[in-house]
Amino acid sequence: MLPNVAGEPKRRFGRRGSKMKALQLQKPGHASITTIAEPVAGSGELLLKVRMVGFCGSDLNSFRGLNPLVTFPRIPGHEVSATVVEGHGDFAAGTNVAISPYTSCGRCASCLRGRPNACQFNQTLGVQRDGALTEFIVMPPGKLYPSRLSLKELCIVEPLTVGFHAVARGRVAATDTVAVFGCGGVGLGAVAGASARGARVICIDVEDEKLLLAQAAGGAHVINSEREPLHKRLQELTGGRGPDVVIEAIGSPATFRAAVEEVAFTGRVVYIGYAKEPVSYETKLFVQKELDIMGSRNALPEDFQAVIQLLEAGKFPVDQAVSVIVPFEEAGNALRSWSENPSKFKKIMVSLD
Ligand SMILES: [Zn+2]
Ligand SMILES: [Zn+2]
């Protein structure tokens, strides 16, 4: 985009030299609004007005300085709904979109195998590169998913895709019983994704409120593993065989182990949680049960399409899942309150309108 010259219609956005506001993490525990240069769309990119940004556990980790992939200063924001400022065709000005925050190099082993979600050199918005908590961003159209969904719904697409991808990795079918360990944002997507495929889903968490939400998202059974004996309940619910698929969305050594202990013989285990410490296993179970054990990372375009379809069908309790929407000016305070009181919030979204 060129700077304004005399006689050209005045552009409101994307002028070289213009300034805009952004929320910046300066150092662990410190977030404030700062002024940065407005981005200018290069060739093959579109200028977008950011409308809403969601926070998840990884943003909380970044804020606390516990995300090893984040260096400071960093602008967070990878769960985004936005509006095209200037574009054409499917991406005409005014079109609302969800965004895929990942990049892929096209040359690493994952990319060559058609699995760019696990690109060795991926750079997620707000993690390895500056994110979307700012007024404008530029993106290539391939990362945009236009839909008539509301801004709030578009903003919840990305966090749900991560769980949907795990369900795809686990080859979940309608005949399966799937146990999901952890019903926070990511686990909730796995519950919704597995139930959208017709599977019977057992939701496991230690917080009743999260279990209620998981039920609203399609869970058939819930187990509060703090109050109920996990192994006994899983056996009861599966005729003594254990779940066909276990999806682990917590990342603790105990749940990493429980996944292989509880899954049925010849079952599938999918890990989404990042374990922060080494996990010791009774590895004979891998062999004895002839398990498929898989990792699941980020999401593919088809996961975005599947989530959008689910939301368009009104099959996900969006209002119930989002606990608070704060204005841009309050985004830093919201991160602070969340950090001080992690169990108080389900999902925080920031409105930039
Ligand atoms: Zn997230
Ligand atoms: Zn790659």
Side-chain angles (χ1 to χ4, degrees):
M1 204 170 298
L2 294 165
N4 264 345
V5 290
E8 205 182 83
K10 189 168 184 286
R11 287 189 203 278
R12 279 185 56 220
F13 307 110
R15 281 176 305 157
R16 221 176 279 277
S18 302
K19 299 282 187 199
M20 64 175 183
K21 288 188 280 182
L23 183 83
Q24 197 175 54
L25 307 177
Q26 286 95 8
K27 55 180 180 176
H30 289 260
S32 64
I33 290 186
T34 179
T35 303
I36 61 167
E38 213 171 87
V40 176
S43 69
E45 286 180 329
L46 292 173
L47 180 69
L48 306 167
K49 167 103 182 73
V50 179
R51 305 294 300 278
M52 220 175 247
V53 172
F55 284 139
C56 73
S58 80
D59 298 297
L60 187 59
N61 273 334
S62 306
F63 175 75
R64 291 169 158 178
L66 299 176
N67 188 335
L69 301 175
V70 169
T71 54
F72 294 94
R74 175 68 70 237
I75 298 168
H78 62 278
E79 304 178 358
V80 190
S81 60
T83 303
V84 177
V85 175
E86 284 167 309
H88 45 78
D90 280 350
F91 302 103
T95 306
N96 292 334
V97 296
I99 286 175
S100 167
Y102 318 118
T103 62
S104 47
C105 72
R107 289 184 299 273
C108 73
S110 303
C111 286
L112 292 175
R113 258 192 274 277
R115 289 163 59 183
N117 59 297
C119 174
Q120 190 178 348
F121 305 104
N122 166 62
Q123 296 209 310
T124 301
L125 279 179
V127 184
Q128 296 96 336
R129 57 181 170 140
D130 276 340
L133 254 171
T134 178
E135 294 176 78
F136 299 97
I137 52 171
V138 294
M139 296 290 289
K143 300 289 175 189
L144 308 181
Y145 295 88
S147 160
R148 275 189 230 289
L149 290 170
S150 72
L151 294 169
K152 187 156 89 169
E153 289 165 329
L154 287 168
C155 195
I156 210 168
V157 168
E158 191 277 336
L160 292 177
T161 60
V162 178
F164 266 61
H165 186 66
V167 167
R169 289 281 288 147
R171 307 187 301 277
V172 170
T175 49
D176 287 325
T177 297
V178 179
V180 177
F181 284 39
C183 297
V186 168
L188 204 56
V191 171
S195 105
R197 289 181 176 218
R200 187 167 66 110
V201 184
I202 305 171
C203 314
I204 302 154
D205 205 288
V206 294
E207 286 178 42
D208 288 330
E209 208 186 341
K210 285 184 181 164
L211 290 171
L212 274 175
L213 186 54
Q215 255 178 326
H221 311 276
V222 297
I223 301 175
N224 183 322
S225 57
E226 206 163 61
R227 280 203 313 267
E228 301 171 82
L230 178 66
H231 176 69
K232 184 160 167 278
R233 290 282 289 123
L234 282 174
Q235 291 286 302
E236 280 166 10
L237 289 168
T238 56
R241 287 185 297 275
D244 304 295
V245 181
V246 172
I247 297 177
E248 199 280 351
I250 297 173
S252 79
T255 46
F256 255 68
R257 270 192 299 270
V260 296
E261 284 162 9
E262 299 301 339
V263 74
F265 274 67
T266 63
R268 287 149 273 155
V269 173
V270 185
Y271 290 118
I272 329 176
Y274 250 81
K276 289 167 193 69
E277 46 202 303
V279 181
S280 53
Y281 276 103
E282 192 63 82
T283 56
K284 73 175 181 208
L285 291 176
F286 301 179
V287 179
Q288 224 171 39
K289 292 188 176 182
E290 199 176 23
L291 298 179
D292 285 5
I293 300 178
M294 287 160 275
S296 182
R297 179 174 170 202
N298 300 343
L300 282 165
E302 56 252 45
D303 303 310
F304 279 81
Q305 304 293 4
V307 169
I308 287 172
Q309 247 174 45
L310 178 94
L311 290 168
E312 284 178 346
K315 286 187 181 154
F316 185 82
V318 177
D319 290 324
Q320 214 177 319
V322 179
S323 52
V324 59
I325 297 179
V326 300
F328 192 19
E329 294 67 33
E330 287 300 313
N333 283 333
L335 274 175
R336 211 162 298 126
S337 319
W338 193 21
S339 181
E340 282 159 12
N341 204 340
S343 63
K344 196 173 136 204
F345 300 98
K346 281 179 287 190
K347 182 143 211 80
I348 299 170
M349 284 186 184
V350 179
S351 170
L352 288 101
D353 283 358

